[in-house]
Amino acid sequence: MKYFLLSILVLFELGRLSAQSFVGKLNPYPATIERAALADDTLKILAIMVNFQEDADGTTSGNGKIGTIYSQNYGSDILDPLPHDKGYFDAHLQFARNYFRKVSKGKLEIIFRVLPDTFSVSDRMRNYSPAPGSGDFAPIANFSVEAWTKADQLYPGFAFSDYDVFLIFHAGVGRDISLPGSIGNERDLPSVYLSEKAFKEIYGNDYEGIPVSGGSFKITNSMIIPETESREVETISGTFLFEITINGLICASIGSHLGLPDLFDTETGLSAIGRFGLMDGQSIFAYLGTYPPEPSPWEKIRLGWAEPVTMDIQNADVSLVTNLAATISDTVILKVPLNSSEYYLIENRIRDANKDGSTVILSVPGKVFDIIFLNDTTGYRSFDVDSLSGVVVDVDEFDWAVPGNGIVIWHIDENVINEKIAENKVNTDKTRRGVDIEEADGVQDIGEVFYTIFGDQVIGEGTEEDFWYADNPATLFTNRFAKDSRPNTLTNTGANSLITIKDFSEINNRMSFRVEYGDSVVKLWYSKKFNFSSSASTFSYLKPFGFNVVENNTLHFVNYSGMLGSFPNFSIYKTPSIFLNNTTYTYGSEDNYLTVWLADGINAFVDSVNTESLVTTSPILRFLNSDGWEVMVGTYNGKILRYDLGSLPSNKPNFKSKFEVDTTNIVKQIASNGDYFAFITESKILSFLPSPLTLFYDSEGNTFSFTAEWPKCLAITKNQLGNYSSIVLVTGNKFYIIESGIAISEFNISSTDTISSYALTDLKQDGTNYIALNNGNNIEVYNLTGAMADNFPFTDPEGIGFIGTPLTADFEGDSKSEIISVTKDGRIFAIDGGTGKVVPGFPISCGGSVSVTPVLYNADDLTYLAVLNDQNVLSAWSISSVEGKLYWSEEFGNPQNTSFIDAAENTNRINEFFPANRAYNYPNPVYDGTTNIRYYVAEDSKISIKIFDLAGDFVAELNDDAQGGMDNETVWNVGDIQSGVYFARIEANSTSGKTEQAVIKIAVVK
């Protein structure tokens, strides 16, 4: 008959307020900070036994008095037999004491006292019960207040302050499970844990607790637990006593008090971790509630009862020993980081580590005895405990309650936990749980609802095939856990964790497996959290030491060994660096000061010079062909200041000269290559190539003034003739390409977002550089006429969107640049510039959002990517098998902040004047709006596009100017065009007299 459990409708509205909605929202009870237990932690529990006013209510169990839930005498050969008196409740609390002493390895001791007298509150049970489906828990809080107030009256002078937890055992059963055919219990009390936060939510933030002891002490928590969970069920053969007890419920309620969130789905009540931990309904009611398994490793770590061994980032063979068989030198819990917020906790769970069966100690009125079960058998299995009676007060191995043996791999996502723990929704999203089990059978079915051939409903709680071991018979099991296995080692955001775990051994108290890091090329080799006071604002490469991190105005020098030094009031801008003659120079600017840090491995200096003007730009370092290196900054009052680097031991920057600009304009950014430099103000771009170098801006420079736009950022490059081009992004998502003070091209980026930055790159070595930028969900790449590069945009498959500035480099060695960009949730994509596809091994994840531009750098004949996320976790990967060519390697292009890349190479340049296969339109078909007619010309040309319908009638003519050596586009607006097929004849006439044409077909569908 106990097998009937498999056919129960376990709509698990479990206990504790943290499992229910509360005043229109979920209870914010779970602690957001981990609780570290001390070795001598003691939890003192005070319990009372409470009746209600007698009733004959068919929606509640019993008549409101303890011991009235059974309609007949079932004797003592059942679970939770009568009498339900002090000794009975003592026995249940004795189980809780034994459970926590063992699973905490002695770190938590429970002391309890059950007051001897049973008393009644003033109303019937139903009036203290929240209405079914209601989130208003005020009635049950009122019950708690009345019960403790009355206890205070019955026990004057009692030392309530000696206790930590206050538990009410009440008459009846809990409204915690629903069984087909059970006598109505929709107005029974749900089992809840009322925390201090819960009381404040109900009674207001000023509520200090339930006053007792003459008001000198206030009770701030209360556990509401029924006398039993057993209840009578009507079946076709008559009334049946369904026996289910409260040991697991008490332990989970104590877990709630200690700070554990519920790990089942608190929105549906369905299981999420099955019988593998404590805070899940399938565990709480494992073996019909007589005993739960040990807590999961995440629960133990959170409570301070266990410390994992963190896996170094290297390939290794690992052995894990089950908890009960481990010695002090053995590894019990292994932590394998996936990124800075996700990791695996791996453990070895064996049901019978002692290899002596399961010993159960039972208490029935008048005696305590034990029973030994050598294996699962009729009357002793998770859904059938007919062989047990009375109250279970101890079990030698609680993990007999888990569903199998072997390695268990837990996937922990701290981002989800931190985001959802306050609402107690850690595991409500089955596709992205905070605490999840990687089920080895390849079928994630814990918490899924199944139906038997008889129509009975069964909830997945885990099976022996969910464990990892060599001879697991599951169809999908391959003894390998990797990016392409099922389940796989991808992060919760779909990124490649670069982790493979394989070669699991046979089931034993000591089990082994192998952990391997890296893809075919991409390999994580460093990850460390730094304790800055806030998130970083800039991040840059510092050769040869490591990295510069600016946080607020403090400069931190870090490398893979840790923090090298911190200097406050150094810079509010990105700091450029250069390594010359075994000396590192780093410059910062804040207020009126230019500050330098120099280090040669022996001596180190920090010093500042007063610029006498408010600095408004990041410094840049530039190499002058005639005069070595210098540092430049722009100011609020329109000056460009130049300083020599200085040399040891005279380490101050030496003022050199200044350019007076328009004093009504603030200098916003400087870009430079050698003697040439350009800068933007609030309304202008000025470029200057002095010959010879003079002190003041004069007629030899070039100025371009903007009208309604404001310049935002600047980059410079060279064209194929060696002339400098300035690329300026202005407000309105518009780009200007400016040469010698003339805008040779201008175009707008279509976006609902504000484009704030971009990168340059030699995408295809076709003779022209390209602009790469993030635009919402897309990575977009444009040539300097505004034409989108072939095979772009690339769209985030998750729809989260990209953020910040892309990086560009040819790190695959295929003469085509890759584009690297980070999504808002920390996935890092590398896109092949030739194909527009994701580079193998990507995306990878840095574990959190990124507020600063990442860094690419070359070392040891490889290219590395370093990312600092918003939690100040620095992660680094080697991403190439060769030393790549860097184009835009960090914010402002490079460690010197010059915002410059050289002219594009011509290796793949198309020399044919007007190739017909490069003429097409997109989108095609055109459904509404516009279509882009694209074509390539090798020389500057005049373009004439004539459009005809199928009858040969003229429809439209478009004329444009095209720049040679790149794709160009002309937009056709089809707003007034009817549906149909049209022919566009594109004719190109070059300035040298060449003429060619091509015809393309355009479909318009409306």
Side-chain angles (χ1 to χ4, degrees), residues 45 47 89-97 112 114 167 169 250:
I45 301 175
F89 292 117
D90 279 339
H92 280 297
L93 288 172
Q94 181 64 46
F95 173 85
R97 170 190 285 171
F112 61 86
V114 180
L167 190 160
F169 288 115
I250 294 171

Side-chain angles (χ1 to χ4, degrees), residues 871-885:
Q871 303 301 311
N872 292 318
V873 174
L874 172 61
S875 301
W877 298 262
S878 61
I879 60 172
S880 71
S881 56
V882 296
E883 183 172 286
K885 182 174 183 179

Side-chain angles (χ1 to χ4, degrees), residues 67 103 130 155 236 403 486 553 646 650 720 807 809 952:
V103 301
Y155 297 93
I236 57 174
R486 181 172 175 180
N553 64 356
S650 176
Q720 289 300 306
L807 303 179

